[in-house]
Amino acid sequence: MSKALTRFFALTFALSWSGWILAVFSDTLRPFAMIAGTFGPAAAALILLRRRQIARRALIARLFDWRLSAVTYAYALGLPVFGIVCALIAARLVTGSGAVLPAQMPVYVPFLVFAYVLFLSVLGEELGWRGYALPDLLGRHGPVAASLILGTVWAIWHAPLFFMPGGFHAGIPPLLFFIQVVASSMIYTHLHILAAGSLVPAHLFHTVFNTAVGIFPILPAARGGDATALWIAVAFLTAVAVVIARGLARMPKLKGP
């Protein structure tokens, strides 16, 4: 691992965990500390590039590269919802109970949730993970290993959230969450390559995924503690990741933009 990447991971954890540990112990500061911690990866990337203006501008420009194929957009926007709906239907068939569709809500609510997740969560992550770290890892390790390394670091980064009072992470089995994050990392890498380094697909996939998890009754807390649907969803995601990994394994090491 390069020195630049080691510094990035160290700074990301320092910034994020400082905010989240504060959030665990302070009810008053929790909302602000939570958001501040989420922006650790993006902040770390921009701090480390503060003296490299050309690289910094290039990184930010990748946030606005919308020139992507319709297939890439459909992949980024559709896969998370498709996987969750399939998991909910399968769980209903297996258990004989449990909702499949979201609770009734005003039509604008999903759009508000999407905007909140994008601007106050995902934007703070992907500029760092897929913007700064992934290109370096791709050039050194190839797509599959890069995905596994970044996915593992990304999963560990979430650790303080499992101790957050009232947080939904506490209701998710840690091993299941770890598998989901590492499997997702393979999909993000695939999107990154398809989009030639544009950060748009990663932001869309991440935002739709988190929005769908919040709206559809997939988490155990929304199903009376039953984790069947979540296990099926993670199994589906893992199967997709394995198929993608087989294709990525045939690719050479790639230099990021």
Side-chain angles (χ1 to χ4, degrees), residues 1-59:
M1 190 179 300
S2 68
K3 291 182 179 179
L5 205 53
T6 300
R7 287 194 294 268
F8 167 74
F9 287 146
L11 183 56
T12 294
F13 274 70
L15 293 172
S16 294
W17 284 22
S18 294
W20 288 343
I21 291 172
L22 179 62
V24 168
F25 294 103
S26 175
D27 294 339
T28 303
L29 296 176
R30 184 168 300 139
F32 307 101
M34 277 288 296
I35 294 172
T38 301
F39 273 76
L46 294 175
I47 289 171
L48 292 174
L49 292 177
R50 67 189 183 280
R51 295 180 180 176
R52 298 171 55 195
Q53 293 300 320
I54 295 177
R56 190 172 182 174
R57 288 194 208 101
L59 174 61

Side-chain angles (χ1 to χ4, degrees), residues 45-117:
L46 294 175
I47 289 171
L48 292 174
L49 292 177
R50 67 189 183 280
R51 295 180 180 176
R52 298 171 55 195
Q53 293 300 320
I54 295 177
R56 190 172 182 174
R57 288 194 208 101
L59 174 61
I60 295 173
R62 289 162 57 202
L63 286 170
F64 304 98
D65 185 1
W66 295 86
R67 297 165 297 177
L68 309 172
S69 69
V71 172
T72 301
Y73 277 113
Y75 179 8
L77 293 169
L79 181 61
V81 176
F82 177 78
I84 286 175
V85 171
C86 286
L88 289 169
I89 293 173
R92 180 67 175 267
L93 294 174
V94 170
T95 65
S97 62
V100 172
L101 298 176
Q104 287 190 339
M105 64 187 71
V107 68
Y108 58 82
V109 169
F111 296 98
L112 290 179
V113 175
F114 182 94
Y116 176 88
V117 171

Side-chain angles (χ1 to χ4, degrees), residues 151-241:
T152 300
V153 173
W154 186 26
I156 295 171
W157 174 76
H158 286 86
L161 297 178
F162 285 86
F163 302 95
M164 198 69 63
F168 72 88
H169 287 82
I172 302 174
L175 177 60
L176 189 60
F177 182 82
F178 180 88
I179 295 170
Q180 175 260 311
V181 171
V182 175
S184 295
S185 183
M186 199 72 66
I187 296 172
Y188 283 107
T189 297
H190 191 212
L191 284 167
H192 176 91
I193 294 170
L194 286 176
S198 168
L199 293 174
V200 172
H203 281 78
L204 292 178
F205 183 91
H206 198 160
T207 303
V208 171
F209 184 90
N210 285 11
T211 300
V213 166
I215 291 177
F216 284 88
I218 190 73
L219 295 177
R223 307 182 70 81
D226 181 21
T228 303
L230 188 59
W231 275 104
I232 294 173
V234 173
F236 171 82
L237 190 68
T238 302
V240 171

